[in-house]
Amino acid sequence: MMPSANKPLAVAIMGPTASGKTAAALEIAREIPAEIISVDSALVYRGMDIGTAKPTAAERAAAPHHLIDILDPADAYSVMQFRRDAMRLVAEIAARGKLPLLVGGTMLYFKVLRDGIDALPQADPELRARLDEEAALLGVPALHARLATIDPETAARLKPNDSQRIQRALEIHALTGQPMSQLLARAPREDLPFDLLPLSLEPSDRSVLHARIATRFDAMLAAEGGLLEEVRRLRARGDLHLGLPSMRCVGYRQAWEYLDGTVGFEELREKGIAATRQLAKRQLTWLRSMPDRIVVDCIAPGTGRQLLELTRQALADRKEPPR
């Protein structure tokens, strides 16, 4: 990080699911006046609390939180909307004399925040319709397999059933003849109006993270009014379906299928845990593409304290007055 005396500092706390990002952010906020900006594409939705591991009321009372519960599950939130909202919030928080903490695991949001919006080609309606037909005929996993042959980097970051993003990546390749990952890598980087300290919580032993994921998913299922009851309430609205971004979130799709009667409870559990582990794998793949990040072991004791000290050092290096 090249600090500038003319720019405020913001801290990014990144990491895979179940790596302890919220707890670490709150430990910083207890010592340094700060506000938290959620960098999570699932936490934006109202009524989706348990399956998203949304910060509790007590956690949200401990420090101001932003970009949580801002959208109905029937609606969509674009990466461009996130970047605009995050840039505004960083400026407002810094103007209040507080430290902006950007906390979450939606790595595409972090990339676009740092690098700006790329100049990828606009959607082609005719090509999009043809890909829709192929998806219906062959299945989305078959399109994912095709993507893996032409753009393995992008395919590794996407779920095999993520139809929207898979089709977009195939569309870009068809229109440009180049993999989307290469185009993104060459996109001009925009200067941020603030300095960003990129802290990344990553496990030294992935099996420990996997165990955490299983324990947390079991707790979601076992909680009073837990994940299944939450999805049951969402289904009862009548206007939601599995084609929506909100209902494609990990855990919600599997719970929906269980309530449809297509899978049993044990299969729901196994699929939910497996999907969450795959999500963590994709998040770690994204993180490895950020060479300037500062890695902290998320399964070691004192993780929050380490992030706090790194933040204090970054503030001291800027010769800012004590907060």
Side-chain angles (χ1 to χ4, degrees):
M1 183 184 66
M2 296 295 292
S4 167
N6 299 320
K7 293 182 179 182
L9 176 71
V11 177
I13 301 178
M14 309 174 288
T17 185
S19 58
K21 298 181 292 293
T22 296
L26 289 173
E27 186 157 353
I28 292 173
R30 280 195 292 270
E31 301 289 335
I32 301 171
E35 297 187 27
I36 294 171
I37 302 170
S38 171
V39 187
D40 190 302
S41 60
L43 296 191
V44 297
Y45 295 113
R46 293 186 290 270
M48 295 174 58
D49 302 335
I50 296 170
T52 62
K54 194 171 286 180
T56 65
E59 289 170 333
R60 292 167 71 174
H65 284 65
H66 304 275
L67 300 188
I68 294 177
D69 289 343
I70 63 171
L71 210 65
D72 185 87
D75 298 326
Y77 187 64
S78 73
V79 68
M80 293 179 69
Q81 287 174 290
F82 166 77
R83 190 176 197 271
R84 182 174 62 247
D85 289 343
M87 297 281 273
R88 171 181 56 80
L89 286 165
V90 167
E92 292 174 355
I93 293 166
R96 289 192 284 269
K98 293 185 178 182
L99 177 69
L101 299 176
L102 293 142
V103 183
T106 300
M107 300 306 163
L108 180 59
Y109 283 8
F110 277 117
K111 176 176 173 54
V112 169
L113 179 66
R114 286 161 50 106
D115 299 343
I117 303 296
D118 59 84
L120 296 177
Q122 295 295 313
D124 181 289
E126 184 177 340
L127 177 56
R128 183 69 57 87
R130 188 164 73 246
L131 288 169
D132 285 340
E133 291 175 2
E134 291 181 16
L137 179 65
L138 304 174
V140 177
L143 298 189
H144 183 266
R146 183 193 306 172
L147 180 63
T149 66
I150 61 176
D151 190 353
E153 183 178 341
T154 298
R157 293 173 177 167
L158 300 179
K159 294 182 287 188
N161 60 359
D162 192 343
S163 59
Q164 182 178 358
R165 291 184 176 89
I166 290 169
Q167 289 174 275
R168 176 59 175 155
L170 289 171
E171 178 185 53
I172 288 169
H173 184 269
L175 292 171
T176 67
Q178 300 177 69
M180 184 173 75
S181 57
Q182 290 185 12
L183 293 173
L184 289 174
R186 291 200 299 269
R189 185 163 180 167
E190 299 180 17
D191 287 336
L192 288 172
F194 53 88
D195 292 328
L196 189 66
L197 177 66
L199 305 179
S200 181
L201 293 173
E202 300 176 32
S204 57
D205 182 347
R206 210 174 282 192
S207 67
V208 176
L209 182 67
H210 287 175
R212 282 189 190 177
I213 287 170
T215 298
R216 190 170 74 170
F217 194 76
D218 284 339
M220 290 176 180
L221 292 173
E224 183 178 352
L227 176 60
L228 288 175
E229 183 56 35
E230 183 170 78
V231 176
R232 191 174 282 113
R233 288 196 303 271
L234 292 166
R235 284 164 58 99
R237 289 177 34 154
D239 63 337
L240 303 179
H241 54 83
L242 286 178
L244 292 168
S246 60
M247 295 299 101
R248 289 201 300 268
C249 291
V250 168
Y252 288 86
R253 174 181 290 274
Q254 292 76 22
W256 192 288
E257 292 173 347
Y258 170 79
L259 293 172
D260 270 344
T262 58
V263 301
F265 184 83
E266 190 56 36
E267 189 175 0
L268 153 68
R269 178 183 179 275
E270 291 174 0
K271 282 188 169 184
I273 292 171
T276 310
R277 288 175 177 172
Q278 284 297 314
L279 170 62
K281 181 179 179 180
R282 292 191 301 274
Q283 290 168 318
L284 288 166
T285 298
W286 271 101
L287 287 166
R288 285 195 295 271
S289 71
M290 301 178 183
D292 61 337
R293 74 196 191 283
I294 300 170
V295 178
V296 174
D297 186 1
C298 68
I299 65 174
T303 297
R305 181 59 50 175
Q306 283 185 265
L307 266 61
L308 173 61
E309 293 307 318
L310 287 165
T311 301
R312 280 177 167 158
Q313 186 60 54
L315 290 169
D317 289 345
R318 299 163 58 84
K319 297 182 171 59
E320 293 189 353
R323 293 175 179 264

